[in-house]
PDB file of all heavy atoms in Angstrom:
ATOM      1  N   ASN A  53     -26.265 -17.584 -12.214  1.00 98.00           N
ATOM      2  CA  ASN A  53     -27.110 -17.501 -11.024  1.00 98.00           C
ATOM      3  C   ASN A  53     -28.067 -16.309 -11.137  1.00 98.00           C
ATOM      4  O   ASN A  53     -27.951 -15.489 -12.047  1.00 98.00           O
ATOM      5  CB  ASN A  53     -26.238 -17.405  -9.772  1.00 98.00           C
ATOM      6  CG  ASN A  53     -25.473 -18.704  -9.537  1.00 98.00           C
ATOM      7  OD1 ASN A  53     -25.872 -19.762 -10.028  1.00 98.00           O
ATOM      8  ND2 ASN A  53     -24.369 -18.624  -8.814  1.00 98.00           N
ATOM      9  N   LEU A  54     -28.979 -16.227 -10.191  1.00 98.00           N
ATOM     10  CA  LEU A  54     -30.030 -15.203 -10.296  1.00 98.00           C
ATOM     11  C   LEU A  54     -29.747 -14.001  -9.395  1.00 98.00           C
ATOM     12  O   LEU A  54     -29.439 -14.172  -8.213  1.00 98.00           O
ATOM     13  CB  LEU A  54     -31.382 -15.819  -9.889  1.00 98.00           C
ATOM     14  CG  LEU A  54     -32.528 -14.803  -9.904  1.00 98.00           C
ATOM     15  CD1 LEU A  54     -33.632 -15.241 -10.842  1.00 98.00           C
ATOM     16  CD2 LEU A  54     -33.086 -14.579  -8.513  1.00 98.00           C
ATOM     17  N   PHE A  55     -29.882 -12.809  -9.976  1.00 98.00           N
ATOM     18  CA  PHE A  55     -29.768 -11.549  -9.232  1.00 98.00           C
ATOM     19  C   PHE A  55     -30.922 -10.686  -9.700  1.00 98.00           C
ATOM     20  O   PHE A  55     -30.952 -10.272 -10.870  1.00 98.00           O
ATOM     21  CB  PHE A  55     -28.422 -10.860  -9.520  1.00 98.00           C
ATOM     22  CG  PHE A  55     -27.291 -11.857  -9.555  1.00 98.00           C
ATOM     23  CD1 PHE A  55     -26.693 -12.216 -10.755  1.00 98.00           C
ATOM     24  CD2 PHE A  55     -26.884 -12.487  -8.389  1.00 98.00           C
ATOM     25  CE1 PHE A  55     -25.703 -13.181 -10.798  1.00 98.00           C
ATOM     26  CE2 PHE A  55     -25.895 -13.465  -8.423  1.00 98.00           C
ATOM     27  CZ  PHE A  55     -25.297 -13.801  -9.627  1.00 98.00           C
ATOM     28  N   LEU A  56     -31.854 -10.443  -8.814  1.00 98.00           N
ATOM     29  CA  LEU A  56     -33.072  -9.730  -9.229  1.00 98.00           C
ATOM     30  C   LEU A  56     -33.527  -8.828  -8.090  1.00 98.00           C
ATOM     31  O   LEU A  56     -33.458  -9.211  -6.922  1.00 98.00           O
ATOM     32  CB  LEU A  56     -34.166 -10.750  -9.559  1.00 98.00           C
ATOM     33  CG  LEU A  56     -35.503 -10.185 -10.037  1.00 98.00           C
ATOM     34  CD1 LEU A  56     -36.061 -11.056 -11.172  1.00 98.00           C
ATOM     35  CD2 LEU A  56     -36.537 -10.101  -8.918  1.00 98.00           C
ATOM     36  N   SER A  57     -33.977  -7.627  -8.447  1.00 98.00           N
ATOM     37  CA  SER A  57     -34.540  -6.728  -7.430  1.00 98.00           C
ATOM     38  C   SER A  57     -35.934  -6.309  -7.857  1.00 98.00           C
ATOM     39  O   SER A  57     -36.188  -6.022  -9.038  1.00 98.00           O
ATOM     40  CB  SER A  57     -33.645  -5.503  -7.242  1.00 98.00           C
ATOM     41  OG  SER A  57     -32.366  -5.923  -6.795  1.00 98.00           O
ATOM     42  N   TYR A  58     -36.815  -6.268  -6.883  1.00 98.00           N
ATOM     43  CA  TYR A  58     -38.258  -6.090  -7.108  1.00 98.00           C
ATOM     44  C   TYR A  58     -38.717  -4.903  -6.271  1.00 98.00           C
ATOM     45  O   TYR A  58     -38.378  -4.793  -5.090  1.00 98.00           O
ATOM     46  CB  TYR A  58     -38.941  -7.375  -6.658  1.00 98.00           C
ATOM     47  CG  TYR A  58     -40.433  -7.458  -6.818  1.00 98.00           C
ATOM     48  CD1 TYR A  58     -40.993  -8.074  -7.939  1.00 98.00           C
ATOM     49  CD2 TYR A  58     -41.284  -6.979  -5.832  1.00 98.00           C
ATOM     50  CE1 TYR A  58     -42.374  -8.199  -8.068  1.00 98.00           C
ATOM     51  CE2 TYR A  58     -42.661  -7.095  -5.960  1.00 98.00           C
ATOM     52  CZ  TYR A  58     -43.193  -7.708  -7.078  1.00 98.00           C
ATOM     53  OH  TYR A  58     -44.568  -7.832  -7.198  1.00 98.00           O
ATOM     54  N   LEU A  59     -39.485  -4.049  -6.907  1.00 98.00           N
ATOM     55  CA  LEU A  59     -39.958  -2.819  -6.255  1.00 98.00           C
ATOM     56  C   LEU A  59     -41.313  -3.070  -5.604  1.00 98.00           C
ATOM     57  O   LEU A  59     -42.251  -3.505  -6.280  1.00 98.00           O
ATOM     58  CB  LEU A  59     -40.062  -1.745  -7.340  1.00 98.00           C
ATOM     59  CG  LEU A  59     -40.538  -0.355  -6.975  1.00 98.00           C
ATOM     60  CD1 LEU A  59     -39.608   0.287  -5.962  1.00 98.00           C
ATOM     61  CD2 LEU A  59     -40.570   0.492  -8.243  1.00 98.00           C
ATOM     62  N   PHE A  60     -41.388  -2.808  -4.314  1.00 98.00           N
ATOM     63  CA  PHE A  60     -42.642  -3.006  -3.582  1.00 98.00           C
ATOM     64  C   PHE A  60     -43.026  -1.681  -2.931  1.00 98.00           C
ATOM     65  O   PHE A  60     -42.262  -1.117  -2.152  1.00 98.00           O
ATOM     66  CB  PHE A  60     -42.453  -4.094  -2.521  1.00 98.00           C
ATOM     67  CG  PHE A  60     -43.626  -4.294  -1.601  1.00 98.00           C
ATOM     68  CD1 PHE A  60     -44.918  -4.438  -2.091  1.00 98.00           C
ATOM     69  CD2 PHE A  60     -43.431  -4.362  -0.214  1.00 98.00           C
ATOM     70  CE1 PHE A  60     -46.002  -4.639  -1.222  1.00 98.00           C
ATOM     71  CE2 PHE A  60     -44.502  -4.558   0.651  1.00 98.00           C
ATOM     72  CZ  PHE A  60     -45.787  -4.693   0.145  1.00 98.00           C
ATOM     73  N   ARG A  61     -44.231  -1.190  -3.304  1.00 97.00           N
ATOM     74  CA  ARG A  61     -44.749   0.034  -2.683  1.00 97.00           C
ATOM     75  C   ARG A  61     -45.895  -0.368  -1.764  1.00 97.00           C
ATOM     76  O   ARG A  61     -47.011  -0.610  -2.240  1.00 97.00           O
ATOM     77  CB  ARG A  61     -45.280   1.009  -3.735  1.00 97.00           C
ATOM     78  CG  ARG A  61     -44.211   1.574  -4.649  1.00 97.00           C
ATOM     79  CD  ARG A  61     -44.763   2.671  -5.550  1.00 97.00           C
ATOM     80  NE  ARG A  61     -43.787   3.069  -6.538  1.00 97.00           N
ATOM     81  CZ  ARG A  61     -42.823   3.972  -6.324  1.00 97.00           C
ATOM     82  NH1 ARG A  61     -42.731   4.577  -5.165  1.00 97.00           N
ATOM     83  NH2 ARG A  61     -41.965   4.269  -7.280  1.00 97.00           N
ATOM     84  N   PRO A  62     -45.628  -0.502  -0.453  1.00 96.00           N
ATOM     85  CA  PRO A  62     -46.712  -0.933   0.437  1.00 96.00           C
ATOM     86  C   PRO A  62     -47.829   0.113   0.492  1.00 96.00           C
ATOM     87  O   PRO A  62     -47.552   1.308   0.513  1.00 96.00           O
ATOM     88  CB  PRO A  62     -46.021  -1.078   1.795  1.00 96.00           C
ATOM     89  CG  PRO A  62     -44.685  -0.451   1.679  1.00 96.00           C
ATOM     90  CD  PRO A  62     -44.368  -0.235   0.241  1.00 96.00           C
ATOM     91  N   SER A  63     -49.077  -0.365   0.487  1.00 95.00           N
ATOM     92  CA  SER A  63     -50.203   0.582   0.571  1.00 95.00           C
ATOM     93  C   SER A  63     -50.458   1.017   2.004  1.00 95.00           C
ATOM     94  O   SER A  63     -51.194   1.960   2.236  1.00 95.00           O
ATOM     95  CB  SER A  63     -51.499  -0.040   0.062  1.00 95.00           C
ATOM     96  OG  SER A  63     -51.283  -0.877  -1.005  1.00 95.00           O
ATOM     97  N   HIS A  64     -49.897   0.262   2.956  1.00 91.00           N
ATOM     98  CA  HIS A  64     -50.133   0.589   4.368  1.00 91.00           C
ATOM     99  C   HIS A  64     -48.785   0.735   5.049  1.00 91.00           C
ATOM    100  O   HIS A  64     -47.901  -0.076   4.830  1.00 91.00           O
ATOM    101  CB  HIS A  64     -50.898  -0.541   5.074  1.00 91.00           C
ATOM    102  CG  HIS A  64     -52.097  -1.001   4.312  1.00 91.00           C
ATOM    103  ND1 HIS A  64     -53.353  -0.492   4.529  1.00 91.00           N
ATOM    104  CD2 HIS A  64     -52.224  -1.907   3.316  1.00 91.00           C
ATOM    105  CE1 HIS A  64     -54.197  -1.081   3.699  1.00 91.00           C
ATOM    106  NE2 HIS A  64     -53.541  -1.938   2.947  1.00 91.00           N
ATOM    107  N   ARG A  65     -48.668   1.756   5.865  1.00 87.00           N
ATOM    108  CA  ARG A  65     -47.398   1.954   6.575  1.00 87.00           C
ATOM    109  C   ARG A  65     -47.518   1.310   7.959  1.00 87.00           C
ATOM    110  O   ARG A  65     -47.602   1.991   8.962  1.00 87.00           O
ATOM    111  CB  ARG A  65     -47.135   3.452   6.665  1.00 87.00           C
ATOM    112  CG  ARG A  65     -45.714   3.762   6.960  1.00 87.00           C
ATOM    113  CD  ARG A  65     -45.073   4.547   5.846  1.00 87.00           C
ATOM    114  NE  ARG A  65     -43.680   4.776   6.219  1.00 87.00           N
ATOM    115  CZ  ARG A  65     -42.984   5.801   5.839  1.00 87.00           C
ATOM    116  NH1 ARG A  65     -43.509   6.704   5.058  1.00 87.00           N
ATOM    117  NH2 ARG A  65     -41.743   5.925   6.216  1.00 87.00           N
ATOM    118  N   ASP A  66     -47.602  -0.002   8.000  1.00 90.00           N
ATOM    119  CA  ASP A  66     -47.738  -0.694   9.283  1.00 90.00           C
ATOM    120  C   ASP A  66     -46.804  -1.897   9.313  1.00 90.00           C
ATOM    121  O   ASP A  66     -45.813  -1.933   8.578  1.00 90.00           O
ATOM    122  CB  ASP A  66     -49.210  -1.082   9.537  1.00 90.00           C
ATOM    123  CG  ASP A  66     -49.777  -1.972   8.436  1.00 90.00           C
ATOM    124  OD1 ASP A  66     -48.985  -2.503   7.637  1.00 90.00           O
ATOM    125  OD2 ASP A  66     -50.996  -2.150   8.374  1.00 90.00           O
ATOM    126  N   GLU A  67     -47.106  -2.900  10.128  1.00 91.00           N
ATOM    127  CA  GLU A  67     -46.183  -4.018  10.324  1.00 91.00           C
ATOM    128  C   GLU A  67     -45.970  -4.834   9.053  1.00 91.00           C
ATOM    129  O   GLU A  67     -45.013  -5.608   8.966  1.00 91.00           O
ATOM    130  CB  GLU A  67     -46.644  -4.916  11.483  1.00 91.00           C
ATOM    131  CG  GLU A  67     -47.726  -5.946  11.169  1.00 91.00           C
ATOM    132  CD  GLU A  67     -49.111  -5.362  11.010  1.00 91.00           C
ATOM    133  OE1 GLU A  67     -49.292  -4.141  11.222  1.00 91.00           O
ATOM    134  OE2 GLU A  67     -50.033  -6.114  10.655  1.00 91.00           O
ATOM    135  N   ARG A  68     -46.835  -4.630   8.050  1.00 92.00           N
ATOM    136  CA  ARG A  68     -46.665  -5.379   6.795  1.00 92.00           C
ATOM    137  C   ARG A  68     -45.295  -5.130   6.175  1.00 92.00           C
ATOM    138  O   ARG A  68     -44.725  -6.014   5.536  1.00 92.00           O
ATOM    139  CB  ARG A  68     -47.730  -4.959   5.773  1.00 92.00           C
ATOM    140  CG  ARG A  68     -49.102  -5.439   6.142  1.00 92.00           C
ATOM    141  CD  ARG A  68     -50.129  -4.742   5.250  1.00 92.00           C
ATOM    142  NE  ARG A  68     -51.188  -4.273   6.103  1.00 92.00           N
ATOM    143  CZ  ARG A  68     -52.471  -4.447   5.868  1.00 92.00           C
ATOM    144  NH1 ARG A  68     -52.875  -5.018   4.759  1.00 92.00           N
ATOM    145  NH2 ARG A  68     -53.367  -4.018   6.706  1.00 92.00           N
TER     146      ARG A  68
END
Side-chain angles (χ1 to χ4, degrees):
N53 292 338
L54 177 122
F55 318 107
L56 181 140
S57 299
Y58 181 96
L59 180 61
F60 174 49
R61 294 188 188 275
S63 324
H64 312 267
R65 198 118 181 209
D66 58 14
E67 82 285 356
R68 289 168 227 228

